[in-house]
Amino acid sequence: MQVAVYVTHEQVPGWDFQARHAVALEQLIPSLSVCICRDAPTFLAALPEAELAIVWRFRQEWLAQAPKLRLVVTPAAGRDYFS
């Protein structure tokens, strides 16, 4: 399963998805292939193949670029992360 991760935070390093996190996920679930995206263009380029997206925010218009997307996950609280 292709996973596109766009979880970065400039001010709080603990909220930044790191390569070691991707390695841990891929070791725990060998069928995963994690793509870490550090900016929106990279994330958008990964979306066409992604079945899972892990993001702070997910924009409605991105759905058109994600035909294989099955699940969107966010560490954010509340409902404002979908715009």
Side-chain angles (χ1 to χ4, degrees):
M1 174 184 287
Q2 292 293 111
V3 181
V5 180
Y6 181 27
V7 177
T8 62
H9 199 283
E10 296 175 11
Q11 298 168 336
V12 183
W15 293 351
D16 197 31
F17 194 92
Q18 301 291 321
R20 64 186 167 88
H21 302 130
V23 169
L25 280 176
E26 290 173 344
Q27 287 176 342
L28 288 170
I29 308 170
S31 63
L32 293 185
S33 177
V34 179
C35 175
I36 300 173
C37 307
R38 294 289 172 212
D39 55 37
T42 305
F43 179 70
L44 294 176
L47 270 182
E49 296 302 316
E51 294 176 70
L52 167 62
I54 303 173
V55 293
W56 282 115
R57 299 184 80 87
F58 194 90
R59 299 188 186 284
Q60 184 76 27
E61 62 267 18
W62 292 351
L63 286 172
Q65 298 175 53
K68 298 179 182 180
L69 192 63
R70 297 168 49 193
L71 183 64
V72 176
V73 177
T74 180
R79 296 184 303 185
D80 59 341
Y81 45 83
F82 291 106
S83 53

